[in-house]
Amino acid sequence: MKNMKRTFALILVVVMVLLSITACGGSDSDSAVDTIKENGKIVMLTNAAFAPFEYMEGNTVVGVDADIAAEIAKELGVELEIVNMDFDSIIDFVKTEKGDFGAAGITVNEERKAQVDFSVEYVTSTQYVIIPADQDPATYDLNGKIIGVQQGTTGDMYYASVTDTFTCKEVKRYKSAVDAANDMKAGRVDCVIIDELPAKKIVENNADTMLCYDPGWAPEDYAIAVKKGSDLLPVINTVLERLMDEGMIEEYVINHTGA
Ligand code: GLN
């Protein structure tokens, strides 16, 4: 009898615990879209030293990705907040929900795909090499050079830090390619590896001292990163598909390159 009572009490506790878990799951929705709508705000994570995709204009982050993000916010009927942070922490922040999505000219690759979900790809790029203006791109040899990169980028991971493409003397990692290029100007690195349009933008701002060239490496595609399984992904994809259909991504690129 005592045993039966005890068993019954135990079952009751288990049932109550189970009930409270399901109740939590029900009210505390795991829908990112619901939470964003409840908060009236969506948070984009980026690194605003990557013009034309994201850069500072006064105190505001602007650029192609900011324009896309504004359309995503509009689609959901919420405000857009942009957080400017280190590029190499964005995937981690997306993964741990310290923001709703990462939009930072992020190249889709297997390492990142293992950690986050990616939207449809909206831009194709490739890595460029920035060199001092007195160098000849046709004969430039990356072997034996001190190379500046933005830490954690594909330029860093695929080229500077591996030995099968070329063997450099040293890799110097910076918070941004702009910082790396400034160090090239100061003579502390020989060249800088960074994505095509940001490379061209940096050179445009330093036309008398720098030039850049295409070393002919593989194309890379940019996409927006969300937490794995997030219901925000179809919303982002709908917006991106529409913007691509309407030719708006090209227009944003033109607007922010001043072409
Ligand atoms: N496309 C590169 C990457 O994903 C660089 C992006 C960036 O620096 N914002 O690694």
Side-chain angles (χ1 to χ4, degrees), residues 47 50 54 87 104-107 112 127 150 152-155 157 194-195 220 222:
N47 172 255
F50 199 67
E54 35 271 329
F87 178 77
I106 304 174
T107 299
R112 293 171 180 166
Q127 297 298 309
Q150 179 176 10
T153 57
T154 43
M157 301 187 302
I194 192 68
D195 303 46
E220 296 179 17
Y222 295 169

Side-chain angles (χ1 to χ4, degrees), residues 151-167:
Q151 172 144 337
T153 57
T154 43
D156 178 8
M157 301 187 302
Y158 297 174
Y159 302 106
S161 298
V162 292
T163 50
D164 54 351
T165 315
F166 54 85
T167 306

Side-chain angles (χ1 to χ4, degrees), residues 137-158:
T139 56
Y140 197 80
D141 185 5
L142 288 162
N143 288 291
K145 296 291 194 301
I146 301 176
I147 303 194
V149 292
Q150 179 176 10
Q151 172 144 337
T153 57
T154 43
D156 178 8
M157 301 187 302
Y158 297 174

Side-chain angles (χ1 to χ4, degrees), residues 175-234:
K175 293 270 182 222
S176 75
V178 177
D179 291 348
N182 283 335
D183 247 19
M184 185 181 88
K185 236 195 287 194
R188 286 189 282 264
V189 296
D190 295 316
C191 60
V192 175
I193 298 176
I194 192 68
D195 303 46
E196 175 180 0
L197 293 183
K200 287 179 172 166
K201 200 76 194 169
I202 289 170
V203 167
E204 187 188 306
N205 293 335
N206 296 278
D208 47 341
T209 54
M210 301 177 191
L211 53 86
C212 63
Y213 71 94
D214 178 2
W217 297 332
E220 296 179 17
D221 296 309
Y222 295 169
I224 291 176
V226 296
K227 190 182 181 241
K228 268 197 177 297
S230 172
D231 64 345
L232 186 57
L233 196 62

